[in-house]
Amino acid sequence: MNDEQHEEASLLPLVPNLASIHYLRQAGAMLELPVRTTATAIMYYHQFNRFMLLNKGGKPSRNDRFVDESLPLNTSEELLTTTCLHLACKATDVPRKVRDLVNVLSSKRRHSPNRRDILQNAVVACYR
């Protein structure tokens, strides 16, 4: 690693997105995954984010392809975290169906409050 890359790496945020890491831990618990599998998924998530931050707008050093920031994996945190979980299950030989991973994601969406509910609760709290 040369000096420029070392300086760029030191400027990277320590935790890119706590909500995604929290989702990975919750999904691991819901799917009853071993700790090693969940940790592998979190590691994949960090490695992908670091790769994208270091190679944004340029060519990576290993091949001649540009990093495209408009691809779905780069724009959707839900897709990225689910992909990391799926790859971690495969890497650690823990069989889980993709359907199970998608069901965990859909239950997260179902139980998370939307902006309207949050605003409505805040307005009700002001009038109490």
Side-chain angles (χ1 to χ4, degrees):
M1 184 182 276
N2 62 22
D3 290 336
E4 288 180 18
Q5 288 177 340
H6 184 68
E7 287 177 22
E8 288 178 9
S10 66
L11 296 175
L12 296 176
L14 292 176
V15 181
N17 191 345
L18 279 175
S20 296
I21 294 168
H22 183 66
Y23 165 71
L24 285 170
R25 293 185 71 202
Q26 279 185 327
M30 289 175 73
L31 292 167
E32 298 176 355
L33 296 176
V35 175
R36 182 177 182 204
T37 304
T38 305
T40 303
I42 292 171
M43 183 190 67
Y44 287 159
Y45 177 79
H46 283 304
Q47 286 181 343
F48 181 82
N49 277 328
R50 182 163 192 246
F51 176 82
M52 291 305 294
L53 287 172
L54 288 176
N55 297 304
K56 189 185 292 186
K59 289 184 182 180
S61 59
R62 294 186 182 173
N63 58 22
D64 293 336
R65 297 182 181 173
F66 285 100
V67 175
D68 188 6
E69 297 174 24
S70 64
L71 292 174
L73 197 58
N74 303 333
T75 57
S76 172
E77 284 290 318
E78 293 172 339
L79 179 62
L80 176 59
T81 53
T82 306
T83 302
C84 290
L85 270 176
H86 179 66
L87 291 174
C89 287
K90 287 195 166 289
T92 57
D93 292 329
V94 177
R96 292 294 185 271
K97 295 179 180 175
V98 175
R99 180 185 67 219
D100 295 338
L101 298 172
V102 171
N103 287 340
V104 167
L105 177 65
S106 66
S107 72
K108 175 196 167 224
R109 284 183 181 171
R110 218 175 315 128
H111 296 298
S112 64
N114 60 17
R115 294 181 79 173
R116 181 174 176 240
D117 292 340
I118 294 171
L119 182 61
Q120 183 178 6
N121 291 340
V123 170
V124 168
C126 287
Y127 287 106
R128 287 185 184 173

